[in-house]
């Protein structure tokens, strides 16, 4: 007999909501004591709708050890989930699937010494979670993160990334981090101004990170809009890197942003 729907989810409380721009928001919900996830995975969140439910996947921003669950969402015009989020406030309720999912996990790489995380929009969420795990910093010689958005006001996590220098668990390793902000529709000092695939192909990204890319050392993780993921993967293929598979170790893992 299959489990009833109620056995597959819990009803959680929205603890806070922060609206960064009309289209970008962060929020946190209560975390059941038994809820487990690995940094890089996503949750399924939902709401009752008619006689059924509406569910969508969102990568967890929180660290594995946090008491609450934080998410970052891009609101989609006329999107049914976005309409719910627009009305959501502290004290609202939301449904949480009991099982976290996803394979964007750095521990799947059996080797490599530089972890390079390339993201657009909400695709930064799993990497924010990963960067709060001490074991990731201990394993890799360098951690490199690029976050590409259209406009400067959408780069809402730049300060949080800088604040990792004072993080009680990972701050001592902060000198291993290379962070590059990318803007595609406006220019600002300190940010690169092309799409990630082009920055890979012309060498600007490697130069900005201060890291040479090689099949021996470099391991790439991609998360963001499908066009970026596809085009960036193609750029990496041209540079000699290969998809990582469980039975055939490679250099690249990717996932479309949620």
């Amino acid at each position: 007999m299959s489990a009833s729907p109620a056995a597959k989810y819990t009803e959680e409380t929205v603890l806070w909501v922060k609206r960064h721009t009309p289209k970008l928001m962060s929020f946190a919900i209560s975390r059941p004591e038994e809820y487990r996830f690995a940094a890089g995975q996503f949750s399924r969140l939902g709401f009752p709708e008619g006689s059924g439910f509406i569910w969508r996947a969102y990568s967890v921003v929180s660290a594995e050890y946090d008491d609450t669950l934080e998410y970052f969402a891009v609101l989609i015009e006329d999107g049914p989930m976005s309409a719910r989020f627009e009305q959501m406030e502290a004290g609202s309720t939301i449904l949480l699937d009991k099982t976290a999912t996803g394979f964007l996990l750095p521990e799947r790489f059996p080797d490599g010494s530089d972890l390079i995380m390339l993201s657009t929009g909400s695709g930064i969420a799993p990497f924010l979670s990963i960067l709060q795990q001490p074991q990731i910093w201990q394993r890799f010689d360098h951690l490199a993160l690029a976050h590409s958005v259209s406009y400067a006001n959408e780069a809402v996590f730049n300060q949080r990334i800088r604040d990792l220098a004072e993080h009680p668990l990972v701050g001592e390793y902060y000198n291993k981090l290379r962070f590059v902000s990318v803007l595609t529709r406006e220019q600002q000092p300190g940010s690169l101004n092309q799409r990630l695939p082009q920055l890979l192909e012309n060498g600007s990204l490697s130069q900005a990170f201060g890291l040479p890319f090689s099949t021996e050392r470099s391991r790439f993780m991609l998360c963001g809009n499908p066009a970026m993921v596809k085009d960036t993967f193609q750029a990496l293929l041209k540079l000699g890197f290969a998809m990582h598979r469980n039975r055939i170790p490679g250099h690249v893992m990717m996932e479309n942003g949620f």
Side-chain angles (χ1 to χ4, degrees):
M1 178 182 295
S2 61
S4 67
K8 297 180 180 180
Y9 66 81
T10 57
E11 185 176 275
E12 302 303 324
T13 301
V14 177
L15 303 176
W16 54 260
V17 177
K18 182 174 182 179
R19 291 180 168 83
H20 305 283
T21 74
K23 293 184 178 181
L24 302 177
M25 64 180 289
S26 298
F27 60 94
I29 69 174
S30 53
R31 177 178 181 175
E33 185 174 346
E34 67 277 9
Y35 189 79
R36 297 289 181 270
F37 71 95
Q41 289 190 311
F42 56 85
S43 306
R44 284 207 322 148
L45 303 177
F47 297 95
E49 184 172 78
S51 59
F53 303 90
I54 178 175
W55 295 97
R56 295 290 186 274
Y58 295 90
S59 294
V60 185
V61 174
S62 307
E64 293 176 9
Y65 46 79
D66 282 342
D67 294 331
T68 63
L69 296 171
E70 181 182 349
Y71 303 92
F72 177 47
V74 176
L75 301 182
I76 307 299
E77 187 174 358
D78 297 325
M81 199 71 170
S82 295
R84 300 297 189 106
F85 282 165
E86 288 176 345
Q87 302 300 317
M88 195 169 67
E89 58 186 17
S92 300
T93 58
I94 192 169
L95 306 180
L96 172 68
D97 190 305
K98 291 182 178 180
T99 304
T101 314
F103 301 97
L104 195 70
L105 306 171
E107 56 266 32
R108 292 180 58 216
F109 286 126
D111 54 10
S113 53
D114 297 336
L115 182 64
I116 300 155
M117 297 164 279
L118 307 181
S119 63
T120 57
S122 61
I124 193 175
F127 300 140
L128 293 172
S129 180
I130 288 168
L131 286 173
Q132 296 175 81
Q133 301 302 131
Q135 63 269 31
I136 301 301
W137 297 79
Q138 293 163 2
R139 173 185 165 181
F140 291 97
D141 293 341
H142 300 99
L143 299 178
L145 171 65
H147 186 213
S148 177
V149 295
S150 297
Y151 301 100
N153 70 337
E154 298 170 342
V156 299
F157 291 108
N158 287 12
Q159 185 58 50
R160 183 184 293 201
I161 293 164
R162 289 190 286 268
D163 289 344
L164 289 172
E166 307 301 325
H167 192 285
L169 298 183
V170 305
E172 65 183 289
Y173 309 109
Y174 186 77
N175 65 334
K176 292 186 174 187
L177 180 64
R178 310 284 192 270
F179 173 62
V180 171
S181 176
V182 180
L183 305 177
T184 58
R185 296 190 181 179
E186 70 174 320
Q187 295 190 359
Q188 188 178 73
S191 295
L192 299 182
N193 301 110
Q194 291 178 289
R195 294 182 68 233
L196 289 170
Q198 284 70 50
L199 293 172
L200 279 168
E201 291 171 346
N202 63 28
S204 297
L205 192 59
S206 174
Q207 182 178 5
F209 281 144
L211 289 176
F213 297 155
S214 72
T215 54
E216 179 183 1
R217 295 184 58 88
S218 307
R219 299 296 176 266
F220 294 88
M221 301 178 75
L222 318 179
C223 189
N225 71 71
M228 181 282 286
V229 171
K230 177 183 176 182
D231 294 347
T232 301
F233 178 58
Q234 291 299 318
L236 288 169
L237 287 179
K238 292 177 183 177
L239 292 172
F241 298 97
M243 173 73 80
H244 173 77
R245 306 181 190 281
N246 287 338
R247 295 186 180 182
I248 308 175
H251 320 102
V252 185
M253 287 186 227
M254 55 191 184
E255 185 173 84
N256 291 333
F258 300 107

